[in-house]
Each structure stands twice: as structure tokens, then as C-alpha cells.
Amino acid sequence: MKISVIGTGYVGTVSAACFAELGHEVICVDVDRSKIDMINSGIPPIHEEGLPELLKKHAGKKLSATSDYGLAIMNSEVSFICVGTPSDSEGNIDVGIVKAASSSLGDSLRKKKGYHVIVVKSTVVPETTEKIVLPIIEKHSGKHQGEFGIAMNPEFLREGRAVHDFMHPDKIVVGSLDKKSGDIVASLYNGLKCEVTRTNPRTAEMIKYVNNAFLATKISFANEVGNICKELGIDTYEVMSAVGKDFRIGPHFLNSGAGFGGSCFPKDVKALIGKAKEIGYEPQLLKSVIAINEGQPARMVLLLKNKLGSLEGKNIAVLGLAFKNDTDDIRESRSIPVIKELLDEGARVSAYDPMANENMKKLYSGIGYYSSAADALRGAEACLIMTEWDEFRSLNKEFDVMENRLVIDGRHILVKPGKDIEYVGLCW
Ligand code: UDX
């Protein structure tokens, strides 16, 4: 089939490349010229495992990019809206970019003859597709739903594993108002070994939020249990590994630590809270999930102060800046509030991340950045581990260059800290 993908962010680019891999002809649309040029030359605009290979294979053949909506709509049968849905200042969803993309799609649809399906892939709160996207497209195209199709098809991709997750999904959800458009969208995934869950758009929208909110809840639950276990001298990892054996619970997302970050969990839980409040419901559990998550970084600094006293003028190494391992993304990373608090307390910060130094420099230019853990640790009076990078697992001799060998682990990552190390776990 011929597909256009609006927005070449992380979801758009990965989806476009993977649809090309599934045999479809794909045109990406973006307002950013530099991203278009990169895609057309087979270079990914984002870091994502497996993406360089797919772009190299398909760019200029099954995959192209343009800034021309009209051209893309004329040359495709299905359009995916994959633009960003950032949070506003209150944490509620900002659908401004989705609205702009819908207007442009509608304008182009006006000139097009033949059936076309518009699919929302961006993460949007329930009712957005039906009450915001659909009316805008009807207004701008002069056509009614039925003359064109509308569907909602959320993504469940993890950053760093997005290509793998797209090609090996554990669920595909297609919400549509009519059978015809749903059938077309579902057929795009033929070739993947996965059942397609068919539903209406608002349920599809809700599934995405509930999925993320549930995983975030598991983490905050594990963190609350971990905080209690630490006080009682109980190993929470032993507790959770036994609890996770109950098949109704499962072992995943029970790792307590510095909390969750990234572009999805914090934003999506807050957006769901915003939507619940809009309909007059006070979502206490979800509010607690966020509150527990926001408390974890401060607990790291508290443990540090319990050991060192005042942090004024002290050199503290921060290992790990990305919100999780295998990405350079620092959005909502738990290291951000930790660095802020360290600086507020008058500490000097020496930071190291295998991929995210450059991104963190844009936020904190005044701290020291190093190209290895050992370099960041030199002369430090304590070290905080903030990200679950594999290379931190085997740190041992590197701690020898510290002034004072105190390690506070926020990710339960150090396997053998070494005998001379004072090792403190955040929740264990
Ligand atoms: C998440 C969802 O997994 C994905 O399905 C959705 O589409 C987008 O959001 P992502 O943000 O890429 O994906 O990262 P993920 O690997 O899920 O981790 C999120 C955060 O939770 C990270 O900061 C990670 O460190 C933290 N985490 C994860 C824990 O603290 N404990 C855990 O047990 C698991």
C-alpha cells in the first residue's frame, strides 16, 4: 500500500522505515528541511537501534521524504499523524501540532479524488480523534467522514528498541468509526505475527494511556515498597523477584530505583490525570504515582547528605544522564532534578554518560562533562549512579581514583562494588 507519515520524530521515522520494510511505499512529511534531507539520504534523524540499516535499505526506493503535504496525500492511500503531543505548563496535553497537521491534511484532501484514510498515531487523550481531528479534517476538506476514513492506531514502542518492537509487537490496536477504514489500517500490518485488536478510536486512545499508566504504576509501587524495605533492612529486589513470580503480576517493571523518566510515562500519566480532572474525577492513585516518582531523586540527595553532611564545595560524580540505558534522550531524566539539587546545595558536579553528555550540556552548561566513568570519578567525594547502563555494572577499579569512595546506586546496577567501597542502594 501507499502510506504517508506526517512528522519525522521518533515514532514517525521508525514507523515509516518499518512500513517500508513490510513492503509498503512510504512518503514522510515534515516542515523541518534538514530532517527531510537526512531521510532522503538514508541517514536517521534520531538515534535508534536498527534504523540506520532500514533507512539505508529503503531510502530513495520504498521510502522518501518531502515538505509538500499535497504531494504526499496525492501519492498515498493512508496518512499517519505522528506529530508530537507535548505537555502544557500544567502537565495537560497540548494538541496544537496535531491540530495543525489535521488542517494541512484536510486542505490536501479537498483536492484529492478517491478514498483516503487518516490515522492518528500520536498519543492523544480519549475523544481527541473524534472531537478534534475529525471535525478539523471535515472542515478543511469539505468532505464528511465516510467519504474518507478515520482511525486511531497507538504505538507501544520503547525508545532504543523501537524498530524491534514495531517488527515484533505484542499488540496492535486499531480503533475506527467504520469497518472499511479499520480493515485498511489493520491490513498494513499483514506479515507481522500479531493479532489485531479492533475497537473504536476513543478506546484505542485510552488503551495507550492505560498501558503506560499501568507500567508507571508498577514502578512507583516498587519504589514505595523499596523505600519501606530499606528502612526495615529487607532486600526489596529479593521481595520483588518472589512477588514477580506470580504470573498475574510478572517480573517486569518491578525494579525500584531513581524512578521513571522519558518522553512517555511522566507525560502520559499527567495527561491522563488532566483528562480525568476535566471530567470531574480526582485520580488519586495516578497522582500518587507521579508524586512517588518525583520524590525518588530527592531521596538520592538525602542519602548523600546523610553520609557527607553539607555538600557545599564538594565534588560529586553523577554517572548516567540519559533517562534509561541505550539512548541519548534526557527528557524527564531523573538525573536532571538530582543535578539541580546538587547545584542548589553548592556541590560541584562531574558528569559522565556514554551517549547523553551533549544533550545534558544544553541544559546544564556549567558542570564538568567527562568521556569516561573513571575521568568523572577522579577526586570525587561521592558518586551517584542515575542510569542503568550496562557498562556501570562492572565498575570496580574505577572507584580507586575517588577522594572518598562513597557510591549511591539509584539503579541496582553495580554487581561487585569492591571491598573498599561504601555502597549505598537507594531502596535496598
Ligand atoms: C515506555 C513504554 O515501555 C513504551 O511501551 C511506550 O510506548 C513509551 O514509554 P520508554 O519510555 O522508551 O518506553 O522506556 P522504558 O524502557 O519503558 O523505561 C521508562 C522508564 O522507566 C526509564 O526511566 C526506566 O529507567 C524506568 N524503569 C523501567 C524503572 O525505573 N524500573 C523498571 O522496572 C523499568
Side-chain angles (χ1 to χ4, degrees):
M1 248 191 183
K2 292 182 174 174
I3 299 174
S4 48
V5 172
I6 319 302
T8 58
Y10 136 85
V11 173
T13 310
V14 169
S15 304
C18 291
F19 277 133
E21 179 70 4
L22 288 176
H24 303 295
E25 241 175 76
V26 187
I27 312 178
C28 297
V29 188
D30 206 293
V31 286
D32 185 338
R33 195 68 243 172
S34 65
K35 284 186 178 171
I36 294 169
D37 293 342
M38 285 178 88
I39 291 174
N40 282 329
S41 3
I43 303 164
I46 49 153
H47 167 83
E48 195 59 54
E49 196 177 276
L51 195 56
E53 292 80 0
L54 286 188
L55 282 195
K56 203 168 161 209
K57 183 171 166 193
H58 298 297
K61 292 164 212 146
K62 285 192 173 306
L63 183 68
S64 62
T66 176
S67 58
D68 187 340
Y69 265 89
L71 184 89
I73 306 315
M74 283 303 168
N75 291 294
S76 60
E77 298 140 276
V78 184
S79 294
F80 280 86
I81 299 179
C82 297
V83 297
T85 49
S87 309
D88 67 15
S89 54
E90 318 252 91
N92 297 322
I93 186 171
D94 174 356
V95 287
I97 316 173
V98 173
K99 285 181 177 170
S102 306
S103 315
S104 304
L105 273 171
D107 291 337
S108 302
L109 212 56
R110 182 178 281 274
K111 297 165 210 136
K112 188 181 169 179
K113 290 193 185 73
Y115 194 68
H116 195 97
V117 186
I118 291 173
V119 193
V120 178
K121 210 180 231 321
S122 301
T123 299
V124 290
V125 290
E127 301 187 310
T128 306
T129 301
E130 287 159 78
K131 291 195 176 166
I132 296 177
V133 175
L134 178 58
I136 292 177
I137 292 170
E138 287 188 324
K139 181 172 161 228
H140 283 258
S141 66
K143 296 178 182 172
H144 289 293
Q145 186 242 323
E147 293 173 75
F148 64 90
I150 185 105
M152 203 282 148
N153 171 223
E155 50 79 22
F156 302 95
L157 312 173
R158 288 167 301 169
E159 271 187 50
R161 300 277 176 275
V163 170
H164 173 273
D165 288 353
F166 192 102
M167 301 306 286
H168 305 91
D170 49 18
K171 59 175 161 297
I172 297 171
V173 176
V174 175
S176 61
L177 290 174
D178 62 281
K179 189 173 175 308
K180 184 177 174 186
S181 43
D183 285 348
I184 292 174
V185 179
S187 77
L188 299 175
Y189 293 94
N190 284 349
L192 294 178
K193 280 199 208 91
C194 183
E195 183 199 337
V196 177
T197 302
R198 295 285 294 270
T199 183
N200 56 47
R202 65 181 64 191
T203 307
E205 291 162 336
M206 194 63 171
I207 289 170
K208 163 74 190 197
Y209 276 99
V210 175
N211 205 90
N212 275 352
F214 188 76
L215 292 174
T217 305
K218 278 187 92 172
I219 298 171
S220 278
F221 177 79
N223 287 343
E224 185 140 279
V225 169
N227 295 341
I228 300 168
C229 280
K230 187 171 174 72
E231 293 304 314
L232 293 172
I234 297 168
D235 181 348
T236 190
Y237 273 73
E238 203 182 324
V239 171
M240 283 314 186
S241 113
V243 169
K245 290 201 168 91
D246 188 322
F247 74 93
R248 295 162 299 177
I249 295 171
H252 306 295
F253 285 80
L254 287 177
N255 296 326
S256 58
F260 56 79
S263 62
C264 296
F265 287 168
K267 175 169 83 80
D268 293 352
V269 177
K270 286 178 195 160
L272 190 54
I273 291 172
K275 185 71 190 177
K277 285 183 171 167
E278 186 190 303
I279 55 168
Y281 181 79
E282 201 59 30
Q284 307 220 30
L285 177 61
L286 296 177
K287 280 165 70 182
S288 302
V289 167
I290 293 295
I292 294 168
N293 198 51
E294 287 176 355
Q296 290 307 92
R299 290 182 76 86
M300 293 281 296
V301 182
L302 191 66
L303 284 177
L304 181 67
K305 280 166 53 184
N306 286 347
K307 294 284 174 192
L308 289 189
S310 162
L311 301 180
E312 188 68 44
K314 297 207 169 124
N315 182 5
I316 310 297
V318 174
L319 300 187
L321 303 172
F323 85 92
K324 65 171 187 182
N325 57 319
D326 295 339
T327 177
D328 63 354
D329 194 343
I330 61 158
R331 280 177 291 177
E332 297 279 346
S333 170
R334 302 295 76 202
S335 60
I336 297 172
V338 162
I339 293 173
K340 180 178 185 308
E341 212 174 321
L342 291 175
L343 295 176
D344 288 348
E345 296 279 337
R348 285 180 292 129
V349 176
S350 306
Y352 164 67
D353 189 280
M355 285 189 192
N357 279 2
E358 290 309 313
N359 281 337
M360 194 59 90
K361 269 183 203 165
K362 293 175 206 153
L363 209 60
Y364 292 111
S365 54
I367 65 173
Y369 290 92
Y370 295 87
S371 51
S372 72
D375 286 342
L377 289 167
R378 188 158 292 116
E381 283 167 75
C383 150
L384 303 181
I385 302 181
M386 296 306 305
T387 310
E388 58 272 48
W389 284 102
D390 254 346
E391 65 172 74
F392 296 161
R393 244 174 250 288
S394 53
L395 288 179
N396 184 299
K397 294 231 169 324
E398 288 82 352
F399 297 119
D400 290 352
V401 295
M402 292 176 79
E403 180 75 32
N404 173 43
R405 295 175 201 177
L406 167 64
V407 178
I408 300 180
D409 186 352
R411 294 293 175 187
H412 200 254
I413 191 87
L414 265 193
V415 182
K416 279 197 209 119
K419 279 200 290 299
D420 319 331
I421 301 290
E422 188 180 1
Y423 175 80
V424 182
L426 176 55
C427 312
W428 51 93

